């Protein structure tokens, strides 16, 4: 029995075998890249280019001065076709720069980023959390003065079913991950740096161990359980400390970064390379499931074409993991920094769609599954009746939206959606999280 | 006159103490196992309500605000005691059935409520009309409810020894109707029915006004 | 707008005085009537349970005390000697109460000279309508007591049937009868 | 039976077996009125425990030292007792308002409701006036002061317990898709009825 | 004996009364607490729906603020002119004019709007709009799950059979709760118009007219016909969508007749339009009565 | 815009996009399946009267739900299986020879008053089957106590014992209670009753025929994770402990009466039991305590129905008291 299992959680079918075995390949350069100017959590960037302008690979095309933000770089050499609104995976419309790449691309060349120290280089490289949240990494490298970060945790859990991009990265480039980990540790002045890997990826853990030989990077194998990769659960598993309600993880003395982010940091520091591409798992009902190195701004439709197109009947296409990723209404949305996968679900794999409210039979499975020890049934029930205050009494704002509750619900209540509604209403009322 | 009539009718329909204002419930549920007891309970309430309304209305200018509640309640208690003694003297069997509920008329929220809300601010005639209306509204409901409960709970409705209505003998009277769970549940259903039928009428009148 | 304290006190006291006076008068008017009602009810009950007797006389306090002591199962409230119109001894009437489900069950029990139950009736009870009150409405129940032998004891009473679903009320009635039997044994012959 | 056991029985009998709300229908107005949320029902329960105990003590004294010696209790007890309760409640309300606004906000706003709460008058009468106490415990025809207080506390705790239970049930019903005609009071009555089904189960416990 | 009983009774109850009233009399002096009676009075004048449009959490809080003079007598938005006047009289302030508002819906799509994908989940506009922006192809359109209907504290909205919320102008107080609730509130799908407005354009889309037409059969196509027929120069196509200038509109109804998309409606409680009749609450009577009873939309052209 | 999907429009719903197997219906069917052996055995042992009771209870429950849904214009909810479970549980708590009309009345009350008035499945505050049973027991105790019975106990004098809850005439429990009241001890050997109580007990309700089959069914449900062990363990454990404390045979008291049916199948009803772990344990203990005290010191020898109903009423309060601590709210290290 591995130590470190948090309480609650679920064991969904992993479905990682579809793509875990195939090495990362580069997706072809599409005819057109649509690069959104907001690919992160925080202030949107202002366009720095205009239509008709030539851009070089790595050139900044969007930037803003706000603290919580990250610049956007052109992933290719090409010509700006237009600057305007387009649809994003989240369904919102955002300013985008559309670029027509030239025929010949040299992937070993880029406009180098510059900076005084690690945080400023990371910022200039436009690095954000690649696990999905897309929070600007530079901000996290400068924690509040009153909080001491004693442990940096690298998240290599990849607990979402289907996704294998982190797995492949750890397996194929463990040196990058270890190098990133060391940079993070020294930058933050932390005593420890731990890479947490779920037990279902023994080969990745082994590769990391080998790579970290002789460095101060620890590799910790954690039990396989969803959502092991959630920030608070991971900190608890490694440190046995709870992040206090409403506080930053640093309050528990820890900081969590995704392994992919660490690799990107290593590249930014050592190679002065901005974030222009990422590894995306394309899996499920596609002809060639696998992991692809994808230029940011590639449309999902192009990516699916690169993976051989749909195989069989398709019910839903999910951007990211099937537990938390948004379902796509249209495939003409670009890959962004936070998109770790495109999962194509058939009618049999996907959750049966539910209309309206289903009765809660109070079986209590959602409470058992909730890694935050909430009572999702109660929040859902009150949210459904628009009794937001009551939902707030059940700590709706502490929900991390991992989806474990809705996954186990035997009557298939849309619990996550209901809780999100409650959270939205509570925040609108000015309730502090 | 028209005004008095309005006041009177209001107590029975739009502001029915039991069905709309939801006050004075305790005795209703407790004594409605017996049609006969309910009738006498109703009469007692009408008497106390009307008399106390009248007296309080007459003396309302002499009642200081600070001690109005104790004074109201002494007046009401006196009439209740009169009812108590008279019933004991003349209808002992009914008195034995009603038991503690006669003294508890004092704290029936309807009576103090009307004294405070109506009689203290209105003239004698209007107060009497109000008392009668409220009392009759109360009595109508409690008698009807008791009728239903006794009929379905024991198979027949009796009044002073005579059987008024009886169900066929094969009807297996469920005793639960007469027990306290039955009282609550039936009153809930009664309330729903009343709201569906009677209140709607009241609402429409409200619009026409 | 606060009134003077004197006025407050005066108005409350006046109300109280008037109310008290009125009630005292009402009481003195109704009190005899209430007493008469109670006596009449008692007489009616006694005549019913001991039909042979024409008049009833309360027994001496000594006997009543003895009876009270002897009756463990219930509480003896009154004890009368019944006399037939001819002046013969007709038996005893015992008013007795025992705890039931909703309060005391008060009964009057008539015993003949030998201590056999002549009749019994329930004066008052507060049992659950439809359940406990079946001790009165189901006639076989009270009737079975008249078949008890003269000089019956506690065991004899216990052996009789109870009404299912009304255990406590049945037990109260049985206790009353058992108490009456015990009282009779204690005062017999005196 | 020892005296302590007797008192314990008296308490259990008053609180559960003869629960004043669910088996005797006394005090229903606040039961339905303030049970819509937990916090108000907690305040109400506290107020009832407090006032009921004071009132029972006061009426017991009044009976013992004024009404009974003068021989006027038989017809004066109703006005006398209710006058005592009304004055007491009003006094407590005024006092709390001035002395402890916090406590006043917590339970003071329920105090006016208590004057017309039949539970208080019923319990005070049962405690003070011989012949009204109906429980099946051999305590003689009237209660001593100690017994009266134990009984009263038992009744009021039973009141509070039933009120809290009921409030918790109603909180669950808040979001329920109850049929339109039954919304509000009717469903509350039905819930109370089903809850009192459970209290039938107490019938005859310990011979009470 | 009777006399003795009466005296005893009088004595007993008299003493009790004396004690009780004496204690209360003293207590009422010692524990006197000042309460502003005007709070209660103001509260009784307010609508009491706790809609929150005034920015205070409850009507009681507003009443307290008004009584303390920290809020204007006209603070209550939902109450309108009458309430403001009554409160002003009560607190002895000057009466002032309140700009009365009602809510209007700038979308006529409903079931005729195109869906980009199939939405399955909680039937709520807010929830739907958060999943890929909602199923409508038009990002400005009414999603039709009725969040506004549920939110309205005055019961002034209902969903009609086109899946669109219609306003009962007799009940609408212009409190704006629906506007705050509507996930498209920021794009003026629901918005507050002055009470004296007469027409409303049932489209608020800002995409290219061509895209718009593909997304919805009922959109404004910026054809400018309304602009040309308007005798008082009160309607103009701004940013690709018709906009009414309420100051100069005279409710002549020319634009309503001219619109080829039937996307302009007579509306509002203004002069000549019966309050009960507007926006689907009943047959419209006024300068022009082309509305079908029960809808706020002219009869189908086809 | 290119239409990339082969079928046209996609489905968009909130995450998660995958779901665990199992549904409300499958849970209900598992409960039915776990009850089935005991039910079939009782049917075999008791014959036609049992068949009539089963048919009228289940038919009444399904019919009542269908009628309510039709009248209230709700979507039909028979497929969720909850009405079937309610009907089956009600039947198993009825005496075999109960008149058919009584079974139907109980089933209708169970569904309408116990469930539908609150808004249907998931909203009922009390176990519907127990509401139906309590209604029947309180309404027609007189008729129930006079039902024709057969078996060895008829030779035992049960005079002086009638009870509110004695739904099937003189059950073993009733006899035990009567004996205890009369003599202060038991007139028969309790240990000798284990075998009939476990395998073939023809006195009592339909669900009391075989405690062994009920236990087996209950264990299957616990093993499948459908019911929480805390409730039955708390219930049965408390019952046994208190029986021993009151100076009687714990095993007899656990096996006799409806304790097994109640502990495994009635008290564990999801909707009317607490949702928190501690709450469930306390709830089970409360059921056991109420049942034991009611059995030894109450007016009725069998108090299962009211014990569970009472604790149903307490469930929301228990959930409030034992609400889980949210992660991160109170610091807890290690």
């Amino acid at each position: 029995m591995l130590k470190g299992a948090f309480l609650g959680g679920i064991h969904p079918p992993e479905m990682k075998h579809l793509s875990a075995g195939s090495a990362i390949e580069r997706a072809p350069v599409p005819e057109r890249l649509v690069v959104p100017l907001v690919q992160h959590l925080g202030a949107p960037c202002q366009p720095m280019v205009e239509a008709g302008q030539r851009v070089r690979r790595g050139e900044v095309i969007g930037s803003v001065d706000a603290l919580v933000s990250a610049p956007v770089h052109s992933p290719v050499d090409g010509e700006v076709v237009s600057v305007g609104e387009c649809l994003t995976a989240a369904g919102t419309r955002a300013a985008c720069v559309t670029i027509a790449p030239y025929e010949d691309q040299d992937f070993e060349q880029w406009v180098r980023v510059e900076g005084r120290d690690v945080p400023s280089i990371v910022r200039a490289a436009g690095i954000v959390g690649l696990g999905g949240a897309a929070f600007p990494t530079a901000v996290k490298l400068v924690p509040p003065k009153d909080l001491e970060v004693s442990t940096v945790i690298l998240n290599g859990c990849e607990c979402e079913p289907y996704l294998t991009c982190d797995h492949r990265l750890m397996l194929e480039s463990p040196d990058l991950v270890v190098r990133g980990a060391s940079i993070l540790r020294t930058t933050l002045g932390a005593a420890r740096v731990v890479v947490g890997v779920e037990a279902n990826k023994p080969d990745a853990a082994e590769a990391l161990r080998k790579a970290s030989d002789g460095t101060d990077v620890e590799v910790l194998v954690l039990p396989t359980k969803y959502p092991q990769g959630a920030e608070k659960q991971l900190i608890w598993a490694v440190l046995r400390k709870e992040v206090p309600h409403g506080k930053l993880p640093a309050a528990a003395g820890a900081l969590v970064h995704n392994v992919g982010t660490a690799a990107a940091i290593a590249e930014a520091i050592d190679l002065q390379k901005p974030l222009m591409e990422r590894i995306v798992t394309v899996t499920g009902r596609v002809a060639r499931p696998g992991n692809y190195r994808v230029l940011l701004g590639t449309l999902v439709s192009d990516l699916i074409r690169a993976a051989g197109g749909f195989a069989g009947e398709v019910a839903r296409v999910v951007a990211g993991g099937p537990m938390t990723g948004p379902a796509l209404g249209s495939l003409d949305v670009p890959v962004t920094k936070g998109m770790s996968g495109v999962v194509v679900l058939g009618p049999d794999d996907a959750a049966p769609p539910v209309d309206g409210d289903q009765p809660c039979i109070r079986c209590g499975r959602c409470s058992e599954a909730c890694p935050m020890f909430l009572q999702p049934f109660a929040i859902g029930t009150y949210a459904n009746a628009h009794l937001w205050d009551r939902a707030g009494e059940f700590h709706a704002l502490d929900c991390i939206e991992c989806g474990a509750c809705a996954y186990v619900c035997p009557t298939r209540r849309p619990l996550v959606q209901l809780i999100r509604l409650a959270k939205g209403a509570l925040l609108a009322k000015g309730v502090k999280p | 006159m028209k005004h008095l009539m309005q006041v009177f009718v209001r107590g029975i329909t739009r502001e029915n103490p039991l069905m709309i204002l939801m006050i004075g419930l305790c005795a209703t549920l407790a004594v409605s196992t017996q049609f006969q007891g309910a009738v006498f309970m109703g009469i007692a309430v009408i008497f106390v309500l009307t008399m106390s309304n009248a007296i309080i209305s007459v003396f309302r200018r002499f009642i200081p605000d600070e001690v109005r509640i104790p004074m109201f309640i002494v007046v009401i208690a006196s009439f209740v005691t009169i009812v108590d003694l008279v019933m004991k003297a003349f209808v002992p069997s009914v008195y034995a059935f009603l038991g503690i509920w006669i003294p508890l008329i004092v704290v029936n929220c309807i009576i103090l409520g009307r004294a405070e809300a109506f009689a203290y601010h209105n003239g004698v005639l209007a107060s009497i009309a109000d008392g009668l209306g409220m009392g009759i509204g109360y009595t109508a409901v409690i008698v009807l409810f008791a009728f239903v409960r006794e009929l379905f709970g024991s198979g027949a409705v009796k009044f002073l020894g005579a059987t008024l209505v009886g169900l066929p003998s094969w009807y297996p009277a469920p005793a639960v109707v007469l027990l306290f769970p039955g009282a609550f549940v039936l009153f809930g259903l009664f309330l729903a029915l009343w709201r569906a039928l009677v209140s709607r009428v009241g609402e429409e009148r409200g619009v026409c006004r | 707008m606060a009134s003077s304290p004197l006025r407050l006190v005066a108005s409350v006291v006046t109300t109280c005085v008037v109310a008290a006076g009125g009630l005292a008068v009402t009481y003195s008017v109704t009190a005899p009537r209430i007493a008469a009602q109670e006596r009449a009810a008692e007489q009616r009950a006694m005549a019913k349970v001991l039909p042979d007797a024409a008049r009833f006389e309360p027994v001496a306090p000594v006997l009543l005390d003895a009876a009270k002591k002897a009756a463990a199962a219930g509480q003896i409230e009154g004890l009368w000697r019944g006399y037939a119109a001819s002046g013969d001894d007709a038996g005893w009437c015992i008013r007795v109460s025992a705890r039931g489900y909703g309060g005391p069950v008060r009964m009057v029990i008539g015993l003949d000279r030998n201590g056999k139950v002549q009749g019994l009736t329930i004066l008052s009870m507060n049992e659950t309508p439809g359940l406990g009150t079946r001790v009165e409405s189901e006639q076989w129940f009270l009737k079975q007591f008249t078949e008890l032998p003269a000089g019956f004891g506690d065991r004899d009473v216990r052996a009789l049937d109870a009404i299912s679903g009304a255990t406590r009320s049945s037990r109260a009635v049985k206790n009353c009868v058992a108490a009456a039997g015990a009282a009779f044994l204690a005062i017999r012959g005196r | 039976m020892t005296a302590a056991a007797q008192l314990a029985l008296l308490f259990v009998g008053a609180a559960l077996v003869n629960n004043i709300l669910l088996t005797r229908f006394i005090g229903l107005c606040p039961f339905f009125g303030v049970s819509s949320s937990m916090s108000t029902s907690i305040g109400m329960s506290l107020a009832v425990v407090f006032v009921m105990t004071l009132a029972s003590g006061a009426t017991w004294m009044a009976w013992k030292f004024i009404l009974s010696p003068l021989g006027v209790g038989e017809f004066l007890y109703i006005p006398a007792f209710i006058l005592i309760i009304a004055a007491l409640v009003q006094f407590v309300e005024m006092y709390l308002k001035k002395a402890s606004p916090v406590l006043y906000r917590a339970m003071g706003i329920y105090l006016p409701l208590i004057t017309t709460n039949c539970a208080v008058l019923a319990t005070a009468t049962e405690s003070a006036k011989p012949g009204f106490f109906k429980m099946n415990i051999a305590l003689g025809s009237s209660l001593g002061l100690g017994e009266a207080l134990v009984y009263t506390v038992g009744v009021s705790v039973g009141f509070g317990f039933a009120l809290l239970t009921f409030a918790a049930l109603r909180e669950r019903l808040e979001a329920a898709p109850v049929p339109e005609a039954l919304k509000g009071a009717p469903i509350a009555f039905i819930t109370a009825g089903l809850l009192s089904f459970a209290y039938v189960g107490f019938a005859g416990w310990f011979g009470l | 004996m009777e006399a003795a009983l009466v005296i005893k009774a009088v004595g007993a109850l008299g003493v009790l009364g004396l004690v009780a009233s004496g204690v209360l009399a003293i207590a009422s002096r010692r524990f006197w607490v000042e309460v502003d009676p005007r709070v209660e009075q103001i509260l009784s004048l307010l609508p009491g729906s706790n809609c929150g449009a005034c920015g205070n959490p409850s009507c009681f809080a507003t009443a307290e603020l008004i009584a303390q003079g920290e809020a204007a007598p006209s603070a209550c938005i939902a109450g309108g002119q009458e309430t403001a006047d009554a409160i002003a009289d009560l607190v002895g302030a000057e009466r002032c004019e309140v700009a009365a508002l009602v809510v209007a819906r700038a979308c006529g799509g409903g079931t005729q709007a195109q869906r980009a994908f199939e939405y399955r989940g909680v039937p709520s506009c807010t929830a739907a709009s958060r999943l890929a922006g909602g199923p409508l192809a038009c990002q400005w359109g009414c999603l039709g799950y009725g969040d506004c209907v549920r939110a309205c504290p005055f019961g002034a909205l209902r969903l009609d059979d086109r899946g669109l919320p219609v306003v009962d102008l007799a009940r609408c107080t212009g409190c704006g709760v629906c506007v705050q609730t509507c996930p498209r509130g920021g794009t003026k799908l629901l918005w507050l118009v002055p009470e004296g407005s007469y027409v409303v354009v049932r489209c608020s889309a800002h995409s290219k007219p061509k895209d718009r037409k593909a997304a919805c059969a009922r959109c404004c196509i910026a054809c400018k016909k309304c602009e040309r027929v308007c005798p008082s120069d009160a309607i103009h196509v701004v940013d690709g969508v018709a906009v009414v200038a309420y100051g100069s509109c005279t409710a002549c109804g020319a634009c309503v007749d001219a619109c080829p998309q039937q996307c302009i409606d007579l509306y509002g409680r203004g002069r000549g339009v019966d309050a009960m009749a507007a926006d689907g609450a009943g047959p419209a009577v006024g300068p022009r009565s082309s509305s079908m009873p029960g809808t706020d939309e002219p009869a189908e052209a086809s | 815009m290119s239409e990339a999907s082969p079928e046209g429009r996609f489905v968009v719903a909130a995450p998660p996009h995958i779901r665990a197997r199992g549904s409300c219906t499958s849970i209900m069917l598992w409960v039915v399946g776990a009850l089935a052996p005991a039910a079939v055995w009782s049917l075999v042992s008791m014959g036609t009267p049992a068949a009539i009771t089963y048919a009228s209870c289940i038919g009444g429950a399904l019919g009542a739900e269908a009628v309510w849904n039709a009248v209230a214009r709700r979507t039909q909810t028979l497929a969720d299986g909850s009405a079937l479970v309610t009907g089956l549980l009600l039947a198993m708590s009825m005496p075999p020879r109960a008149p058919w009309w009584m079974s139907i009345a109980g089933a209708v009350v169970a569904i309408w008053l116990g469930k539908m008035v609150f808004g249907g499945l998931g909203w009922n505050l009390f176990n519907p089957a127990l509401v139906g049973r309590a209604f029947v027991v309180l309404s027609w105790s007189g008729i129930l106590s006079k039902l024709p019975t057969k078996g060895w106990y008829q030779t035992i004098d049960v005079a002086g014992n009638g009870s509110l809850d004695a739904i099937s005439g003189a059950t073993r429990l009733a006899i035990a209670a009567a004996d205890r009241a009369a003599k202060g001890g038991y007139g028969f050997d309790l240990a000798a009753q284990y075998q009939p109580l476990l395998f073939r007990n023809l006195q009592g309700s339909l669900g009391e025929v075989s405690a062994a089959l009920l236990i087996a069914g209950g264990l299957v449900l616990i093993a499948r994770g459908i019911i929480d062990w805390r409730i039955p363990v708390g219930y049965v454990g408390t019952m046994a402990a208190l029986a021993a404390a009151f100076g009687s045979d714990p095993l007899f008291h656990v096996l006799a009466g409806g304790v097994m049916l109640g502990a495994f199948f009635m008290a564990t009803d999801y909707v009317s039991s607490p949702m928190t772990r501690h709450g469930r344990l306390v709830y089970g203990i409360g059921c056991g305590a109420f049942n034991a005290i009611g059995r030894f010191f109450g007016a009725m020898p069998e108090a299962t129905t009211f014990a569970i109903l009472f604790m149903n009423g307490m469930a929301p309060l228990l959930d409030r008291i034992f609400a889980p601590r949210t992660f991160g709210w109170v610091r807890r290290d290690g």
Side-chain angles (χ1 to χ4, degrees), chain A residues 51-62:
Chain A
Q53 188 180 331
R54 295 179 145 211
V55 285
R56 281 179 300 150
R57 179 165 151 86
E59 190 179 325
V60 174
I61 55 173

mmCIF file of all heavy atoms in Angstrom, chain A residues 51-62:
data_model
loop_
_atom_site.group_PDB
_atom_site.id
_atom_site.type_symbol
_atom_site.label_atom_id
_atom_site.label_comp_id
_atom_site.label_asym_id
_atom_site.label_seq_id
_atom_site.Cartn_x
_atom_site.Cartn_y
_atom_site.Cartn_z
ATOM 1 N N ALA A 51 -2.601 43.287 -39.334
ATOM 2 C CA ALA A 51 -2.794 42.439 -40.505
ATOM 3 C C ALA A 51 -1.775 42.779 -41.585
ATOM 4 O O ALA A 51 -1.454 43.936 -41.795
ATOM 5 C CB ALA A 51 -4.225 42.610 -41.032
ATOM 6 N N GLY A 52 -1.272 41.743 -42.247
ATOM 7 C CA GLY A 52 -0.329 41.957 -43.323
ATOM 8 C C GLY A 52 1.120 41.964 -42.869
ATOM 9 O O GLY A 52 2.032 41.837 -43.683
ATOM 10 N N GLN A 53 1.321 42.075 -41.595
ATOM 11 C CA GLN A 53 2.679 42.156 -41.051
ATOM 12 C C GLN A 53 3.333 40.774 -41.056
ATOM 13 O O GLN A 53 2.672 39.759 -40.863
ATOM 14 C CB GLN A 53 2.585 42.713 -39.625
ATOM 15 C CG GLN A 53 3.904 43.030 -38.979
ATOM 16 C CD GLN A 53 3.692 43.564 -37.580
ATOM 17 O OE1 GLN A 53 2.665 44.176 -37.296
ATOM 18 N NE2 GLN A 53 4.659 43.347 -36.724
ATOM 19 N N ARG A 54 4.630 40.734 -41.257
ATOM 20 C CA ARG A 54 5.359 39.476 -41.175
ATOM 21 C C ARG A 54 5.775 39.244 -39.731
ATOM 22 O O ARG A 54 6.148 40.186 -39.042
ATOM 23 C CB ARG A 54 6.597 39.523 -42.032
ATOM 24 C CG ARG A 54 6.280 39.640 -43.484
ATOM 25 C CD ARG A 54 7.583 39.698 -44.253
ATOM 26 N NE ARG A 54 7.430 39.031 -45.513
ATOM 27 C CZ ARG A 54 8.405 38.400 -46.137
ATOM 28 N NH1 ARG A 54 9.604 38.341 -45.600
ATOM 29 N NH2 ARG A 54 8.195 37.804 -47.291
ATOM 30 N N VAL A 55 5.707 38.017 -39.307
ATOM 31 C CA VAL A 55 6.181 37.708 -37.953
ATOM 32 C C VAL A 55 7.179 36.578 -38.034
ATOM 33 O O VAL A 55 7.100 35.711 -38.912
ATOM 34 C CB VAL A 55 5.025 37.315 -37.006
ATOM 35 C CG1 VAL A 55 4.242 38.531 -36.605
ATOM 36 C CG2 VAL A 55 4.140 36.253 -37.618
ATOM 37 N N ARG A 56 8.129 36.595 -37.078
ATOM 38 C CA ARG A 56 9.090 35.515 -37.019
ATOM 39 C C ARG A 56 8.712 34.582 -35.883
ATOM 40 O O ARG A 56 8.014 34.969 -34.949
ATOM 41 C CB ARG A 56 10.496 36.071 -36.788
ATOM 42 C CG ARG A 56 11.118 36.617 -38.057
ATOM 43 C CD ARG A 56 12.490 37.169 -37.770
ATOM 44 N NE ARG A 56 12.432 38.249 -36.800
ATOM 45 C CZ ARG A 56 13.422 38.538 -35.950
ATOM 46 N NH1 ARG A 56 14.506 37.809 -35.945
ATOM 47 N NH2 ARG A 56 13.302 39.536 -35.114
ATOM 48 N N ARG A 57 9.188 33.363 -35.966
ATOM 49 C CA ARG A 57 8.910 32.390 -34.911
ATOM 50 C C ARG A 57 9.484 32.917 -33.602
ATOM 51 O O ARG A 57 10.660 33.273 -33.519
ATOM 52 C CB ARG A 57 9.559 31.056 -35.285
ATOM 53 C CG ARG A 57 9.381 29.954 -34.274
ATOM 54 C CD ARG A 57 9.723 28.618 -34.915
ATOM 55 N NE ARG A 57 10.223 27.649 -33.965
ATOM 56 C CZ ARG A 57 9.420 26.847 -33.237
ATOM 57 N NH1 ARG A 57 8.122 26.913 -33.385
ATOM 58 N NH2 ARG A 57 9.950 25.988 -32.397
ATOM 59 N N GLY A 58 8.643 32.984 -32.568
ATOM 60 C CA GLY A 58 9.089 33.457 -31.262
ATOM 61 C C GLY A 58 8.902 34.942 -31.059
ATOM 62 O O GLY A 58 9.158 35.445 -29.968
ATOM 63 N N GLU A 59 8.420 35.637 -32.067
ATOM 64 C CA GLU A 59 8.216 37.074 -31.921
ATOM 65 C C GLU A 59 6.974 37.319 -31.070
ATOM 66 O O GLU A 59 5.970 36.614 -31.168
ATOM 67 C CB GLU A 59 8.032 37.692 -33.309
ATOM 68 C CG GLU A 59 8.043 39.200 -33.293
ATOM 69 C CD GLU A 59 7.872 39.755 -34.709
ATOM 70 O OE1 GLU A 59 8.386 39.142 -35.671
ATOM 71 O OE2 GLU A 59 7.195 40.778 -34.834
ATOM 72 N N VAL A 60 7.056 38.342 -30.210
ATOM 73 C CA VAL A 60 5.898 38.643 -29.352
ATOM 74 C C VAL A 60 4.799 39.245 -30.219
ATOM 75 O O VAL A 60 5.015 40.223 -30.930
ATOM 76 C CB VAL A 60 6.294 39.628 -28.240
ATOM 77 C CG1 VAL A 60 5.071 40.040 -27.444
ATOM 78 C CG2 VAL A 60 7.331 38.997 -27.334
ATOM 79 N N ILE A 61 3.598 38.650 -30.174
ATOM 80 C CA ILE A 61 2.488 39.209 -30.944
ATOM 81 C C ILE A 61 1.428 39.801 -30.035
ATOM 82 O O ILE A 61 0.534 40.485 -30.474
ATOM 83 C CB ILE A 61 1.840 38.158 -31.881
ATOM 84 C CG1 ILE A 61 1.398 36.940 -31.093
ATOM 85 C CG2 ILE A 61 2.795 37.785 -32.992
ATOM 86 C CD1 ILE A 61 0.613 35.948 -31.927
ATOM 87 N N GLY A 62 1.517 39.514 -28.751
ATOM 88 C CA GLY A 62 0.552 40.105 -27.822
ATOM 89 C C GLY A 62 1.203 40.255 -26.475
ATOM 90 O O GLY A 62 1.961 39.389 -26.031
#
